[in-house]
Each structure stands twice: as C-alpha cells, then as structure tokens.
Amino acid sequence: ITKSPTDTFLFTRSQNGFEDVNVFYHITLINNHLKNIGFEDLMNYQIHVDAHGLNGQDNSAFMSGFSPPRISFGEGGVDDAEDADVIIHEYTHAIMRDATGQDPSGTQRSTLDEANADILAASYSRSISEHNWDKVYTWDGHNEYWDGRLTSGNKHYPEDLKNNLYLDTDIWSAAIMELWGKLGRNTTDKLLIESSHAYSTGMTLQDAAMLFMITDSSFTGSDNTWDICNTFLTRGLLDQCFVGIDEQNLSQLDFTLWNSKEFSNNTGKALLYSKDTADITIAIYDIKGSLIFDANYPNVDRVALNPEDYPTGIYTISITQKQKQGVFKLIKH
C-alpha cells in the first residue's frame, strides 16, 4: 500500500508508488468528469485495480468476470500504469460495461468498445494540449515496444474495415474526434457515453452512428445535427443526411431544410443550413400572409427554428442571402 507521511506523494518512475498514485489520480479524474457531464449513476462502485499486475506482461486488461470488476496493468516495456492514456482506456472499458450492462459480442460491437476507450483517452489529452492528442498511448507506445494507435485519419466505412477490433478502431474514433473539434469535449463525451447505453449485441459502426444522432436529437434538440450527420456521411458511417421527411432544397441559395417532421410534431427544431457562411435574413409569414418574425443573422451558415415558438399552422419562410431569395414552407401540428 502506497503511503506518505505528508500531504504529498512524490515518487520517481523506479518506485511502485509512482504507478499507484498515477492510476488513482487519473481514475478519480475521469470519474469526476463523468459526474460533471451528468452521469451521476455511472461507475458508482469501487473498482479493484492492480497497478503492477498480469505477472509483468506488456499488456493491461479490464476484467468484468470478477465482483466487483477489476483492472490490471502490466509492466512489460513501459509500465502501462505510467501512461494516462492506458489508464483511461482501461477504465473506459469499465464505463462501457456499466453503461451497456453487457460484455461486447461481435467484431464491430467489440470495435466500438475498444474505440470508445481510445476516444476518452484522446479526449482527455486534447483537453490539456493539442500536441499529439491523436497519438493514443503516447508514453506506453509509439516507440520500440509497439506502435500505439491513432484517433485521426480518413478511413471510410465499410471499405476500410479489416474485421479486426484493434485495426478498425480509428474508423470510429477519428470520426468522433473530428466532432470533438466542433462540439467540444463535454458535449462529445456526453453524446458518446449516453448513446452507448443503447448498444446491443452484434451491432455495427453505422448503428452506433445513428444512435449518436438520435441521442443528439433527444438531448440537444438536434442542435448539432449538421456537424454530426455530415461527419458520419463523409466517412460512410451514415448513408444519408436526413433526419425528418419531405425535406426541401433551395438550389439557388445552396440552402437545405432539415427536421421538418420533428418541427411539425413539436419534437425538435427545424434546421436551415447553407453551404456558405454569410449574412442571412429570415422572414416568417403565417397562412394569412402576416409577418410574424423578421431577423438578420450575421455571418452564419445555419439557423434553428424552435417549434415551441409557433402555434399550430402553416408558415412560409423567406430567406435572403447575398441578395438572393428563396422560400420554404413549414407545417406545425
């Protein structure tokens, strides 16, 4: 047991206390992060950890078959418990097990757990510094012992699938970390963990992408739909970028209306997106032709319309951008 006669715990890498304190610190840090982003009921058990385990193997493992589950860190090559990425990765396996209530089954389902563990490690690193955040296991790997892994790149689903849970991780992790750059750490981590509660046996990476979209719709009113759907579409993780039905396109303005169904049913915001960032003026008229809303949005590429702001009726939306004009229609039940 690591002890200190003072309120500080100072150890060198040659002392076992270094790994003990490093593990305790980073697991506590990530657990507090979970609570801060709203997961008060996740990982509320005291996990058993051995910072000098697996008989010195160059490996680490989360083991769900114990009660409670446990994590062991090996000491081959670079001691695994010296690397925050390894610690967070293995603890994320515990998070996924607690969130889903199951061990992963199926290659792509297992890939998701492995990738999500890389993602939360990279997310933590990136929250501290942009330097090499995408090189997971920056200390333990990317050296003569092993190559480590990346959470960046442009792999495309399904062409780049190797059907190997270790080789396919960056198909998913690179997409999520691209979104991290747009949505930030807290939102990305929250959507990732919340959506994982619905993971099922044998699911695919595309299934996970749709769950991520649905979770955003439920928790943010689809505020991030444009970024999420386009990121997944570009990488083959979604086949089309539509959430509602009967969507409309104004080709002369490069404007698209999304989520008309959700707006109509009062379950989500209607989203107006443009390919260009510019000043946008929107005027909304009711069925009698009376102007009920008029606003200018400087230097934007999207506008959200909240259904709660509109009573039942049929609305005409006039959009002006760069001296060009187009018209949408929306129905609110």
Side-chain angles (χ1 to χ4, degrees):
I1 299 175
T2 298
K3 298 180 180 180
S4 173
T6 68
D7 59 356
T8 60
F9 288 77
L10 299 177
F11 301 96
T12 67
R13 287 181 59 204
S14 63
Q15 298 172 290
N16 284 344
F18 183 95
E19 290 81 21
D20 296 339
V21 172
N22 202 40
V23 167
F24 182 83
Y25 173 79
H26 284 99
I27 286 180
T28 301
L29 198 71
I30 294 303
N31 193 268
N32 287 341
H33 175 59
L34 288 179
K35 310 308 180 191
N36 289 337
I37 61 176
F39 297 102
E40 294 287 343
D41 297 325
L42 199 58
M43 291 305 297
N44 276 337
Y45 66 87
Q46 191 174 55
I47 192 165
H48 290 192
V49 178
D50 185 352
H52 316 278
L54 298 180
N55 295 315
Q57 296 179 42
D58 188 9
N59 194 15
S60 295
F62 164 71
M63 295 169 281
S64 63
F66 294 88
S67 183
R70 61 184 59 179
I71 299 172
S72 286
F73 296 96
E75 297 182 303
V78 175
D79 292 359
D80 282 8
E82 293 179 359
D83 191 330
D85 287 350
V86 180
I87 297 166
I88 295 169
H89 176 99
E90 296 302 338
Y91 189 64
T92 302
H93 280 302
I95 295 171
M96 291 294 109
R97 180 64 174 78
D98 201 31
T100 64
Q102 60 181 222
D103 291 321
S105 178
T107 302
Q108 291 189 50
R109 169 67 182 85
S110 298
T111 297
L112 283 167
D113 265 30
E114 192 68 12
N116 287 346
D118 283 357
I119 288 164
L120 287 195
S123 176
Y124 168 67
S125 295
R126 196 174 183 182
S127 72
I128 297 172
S129 171
E130 287 287 328
H131 180 67
N132 284 340
W133 61 261
D134 61 328
K135 292 184 176 181
V136 189
Y137 322 115
T138 316
W139 183 247
D140 178 62
H142 302 279
N143 54 33
E144 67 270 27
Y145 299 112
W146 75 295
D147 293 336
R149 282 206 295 264
L150 296 175
T151 53
S152 60
N154 297 306
K155 286 186 178 179
H156 195 272
Y157 183 92
E159 295 89 339
D160 291 321
L161 272 177
K162 304 298 183 184
N163 293 312
N164 180 296
L165 68 121
Y166 300 109
L167 299 180
D168 292 336
T169 54
D170 52 340
I171 297 176
W172 178 249
S173 64
I176 299 301
M177 290 309 295
E178 179 182 335
L179 285 171
W180 195 104
K182 300 172 182 177
L183 309 182
R185 183 191 185 194
N186 286 354
T187 297
T188 305
D189 288 0
K190 183 168 185 175
L191 292 176
L192 184 72
I193 295 170
E194 185 60 44
S195 63
S196 74
H197 283 73
Y199 282 7
S200 59
T201 299
M203 65 182 290
T204 67
L205 302 188
Q206 281 195 326
D207 294 332
M210 183 55 68
L211 286 173
F212 198 96
M213 284 279 295
I214 293 170
T215 302
D216 177 66
S217 177
S218 299
F219 283 83
T220 75
S222 299
D223 283 347
N224 307 301
T225 298
W226 177 255
D227 291 323
I228 294 170
C229 200
N230 273 281
T231 297
F232 287 154
L233 182 68
T234 300
R235 295 172 177 272
L237 292 167
L238 288 178
D239 293 324
Q240 58 181 353
C241 258
F242 293 107
V243 179
I245 59 172
D246 297 328
E247 310 299 80
Q248 303 174 60
N249 177 265
L250 294 180
S251 58
Q252 71 272 29
L253 292 179
D254 286 327
F255 243 100
T256 305
L257 170 67
W258 289 14
N259 291 356
S260 57
K261 179 182 178 181
E262 281 73 9
F263 179 91
S264 177
N265 294 332
N266 204 40
T267 57
K269 299 173 184 177
L271 305 167
L272 301 164
Y273 292 109
S274 172
K275 292 182 179 178
D276 298 321
T277 298
D279 292 354
I280 299 171
T281 298
I282 293 181
I284 301 179
Y285 302 85
D286 64 17
I287 195 171
K288 298 179 181 179
S290 300
L291 179 66
I292 62 172
F293 180 82
D294 186 18
N296 177 260
Y297 299 88
N299 198 35
V300 298
D301 63 357
R302 69 198 69 185
V303 176
L305 302 177
N306 191 338
E308 296 177 358
D309 296 335
Y310 301 90
T312 299
I314 299 174
Y315 297 96
T316 300
I317 301 145
S318 173
I319 302 173
T320 303
Q321 181 191 54
K322 295 181 179 179
Q323 298 182 333
K324 294 182 180 180
Q325 190 174 44
V327 175
F328 284 112
K329 288 190 180 296
L330 271 178
I331 299 173
K332 167 69 184 299
H333 292 309

